[in-house]
Amino acid sequence: MFKIIVCENYEEMSKKAFSVIRDIVVENPKAVLGLATGSSPVGLYQLMIEDHQKNGTSYKDVTTFNLDEYLGIAKDHPQSYYTFMHENLFKGLDIKEENIHIPSGSGDVDQQAANYESLLADNMIDVQVLGIGRNGHIGFNEPGTPFDALTHIVKLKENTRKDNARFFDSLDEVPTQAITMGSGTIMQRAKKVLMIASGEAKQDAIYNMIKGPITTDLPASILQKHDDVVVILDKAAAARL
Ligand code: GLP
């Protein structure tokens, strides 16, 4: 079930998303957070850091699970999701490194996927932050991914690589594969989903997620079957609703 909140702009969207996360962490200092990368949650992460530093909200007993990671670039590469999360969030909080979980894109990656899934099998995620790709992907579950997919290795679609090329020096440098929690993992493990999306480029994906058929052509449409999805949008992303 979707609860849709439409905001004036990115800043207001980030504030609303932050209040959802803060309430969960304040109520349960041992909360398990599912986290996402991309531009959408950066404002939310800044507010979490600001709140921690000004108001002392503590993350020392919080556990996190990230959705995904690229294959073929080192963990300390400037564009790895490991680096992204440390730069944009973790380094500003008091979270313990051992409580941070990000799938690993190196070594025997099929084994890494199985290990990540079994770690998740022992945990429920109190809230899973999600962005959405223009093609409706969640995490890196690209169109066509079965809805019961668990953590797995994925070949990235060309449009996804192009969308993410802005973070790299050139399109050639964007990895072609990633490891991602599956749509099935998200549906099974997340007690609550917090989807954030802004900008005109997301309006079709958002419309189809909410009003379209449930189809693997639009991976986020499976969220129609989840009990508790809060969708926080700016006006542009909500324009077709
Ligand atoms: C990336 C990530 C997704 C993210 C999406 C949207 O490919 N794997 O988790 O939600 O793209 O990114 P952005 O928020 O930058 O638009």
Side-chain angles (χ1 to χ4, degrees):
M1 201 201 298
F2 293 117
K3 179 181 173 197
I4 301 163
I5 302 173
V6 181
C7 302
E8 210 48 47
N9 51 33
Y10 181 88
E11 196 190 349
E12 194 189 326
M13 176 190 83
S14 303
K15 282 187 185 157
K16 284 262 169 17
F18 165 66
S19 72
V20 173
I21 300 288
R22 187 202 43 210
D23 287 355
I24 289 171
V25 172
V26 167
E27 192 185 313
N28 175 14
K30 292 188 175 171
V32 179
L33 306 181
L35 299 175
T37 51
S39 314
S40 306
V42 169
L44 158 68
Y45 295 161
Q46 279 165 358
L47 292 170
M48 288 164 72
I49 293 174
E50 218 177 279
D51 171 61
H52 165 66
Q53 292 178 351
K54 282 194 193 145
N55 307 320
T57 304
S58 178
Y59 291 77
K60 73 178 172 41
D61 295 320
V62 164
T63 298
T64 64
F65 286 94
N66 261 80
L67 285 167
D68 46 14
E69 178 60 285
Y70 288 120
L71 261 53
I73 57 175
K75 190 173 163 182
D76 61 0
H77 185 284
Q79 296 309 332
S80 75
Y81 285 169
Y82 177 91
T83 302
F84 177 98
M85 289 308 301
H86 283 78
E87 287 301 315
N88 286 287
L89 183 63
F90 299 140
K91 78 173 188 196
L93 301 179
D94 59 345
I95 189 162
K96 294 180 190 138
E97 187 62 36
E98 67 261 33
N99 290 353
I100 295 171
H101 305 285
I102 301 174
S104 168
S106 50
D108 178 345
V109 287
D110 288 319
Q111 190 57 49
Q112 300 282 18
N115 293 349
Y116 203 66
E117 191 63 35
S118 39
L119 203 59
L120 281 160
D122 294 333
N123 287 276
M124 282 305 279
I125 295 173
D126 292 300
V127 59
Q128 174 66 56
V129 177
L130 288 182
I132 187 168
R134 280 195 301 150
N135 63 7
H137 73 226
I138 47 174
F140 269 134
N141 290 273
E142 294 280 37
T145 309
F147 284 142
D148 59 0
L150 302 178
T151 304
H152 65 288
I153 307 304
V154 58
K155 185 174 182 308
L156 299 177
K157 300 273 186 205
E158 277 315 292
N159 54 5
T160 297
R161 292 186 64 242
K162 282 183 194 144
D163 283 348
N164 288 350
R166 68 188 189 281
F167 298 112
F168 292 82
D169 291 337
S170 71
L171 179 59
D172 284 350
E173 290 183 28
V174 184
T176 55
Q177 284 182 293
I179 178 170
T180 183
M181 268 189 215
S183 304
T185 318
I186 297 167
M187 290 296 288
Q188 287 166 26
R189 307 322 303 173
K191 290 194 225 167
K192 182 184 197 75
V193 171
L194 175 61
M195 155 85 61
I196 43 184
S198 64
E200 201 184 326
K202 301 289 174 72
Q203 62 181 231
D204 290 342
I206 289 295
Y207 174 83
N208 288 319
M209 169 180 89
I210 294 169
K211 307 254 171 155
I214 300 177
T215 164
T216 55
D217 292 344
L218 201 292
S221 63
I222 191 61
L223 296 173
Q224 291 179 27
K225 291 201 172 170
H226 194 287
D227 287 346
D228 184 4
V229 184
V230 180
V231 186
I232 307 184
L233 306 169
D234 74 350
K235 276 184 169 169
R240 287 192 60 199
L241 295 179

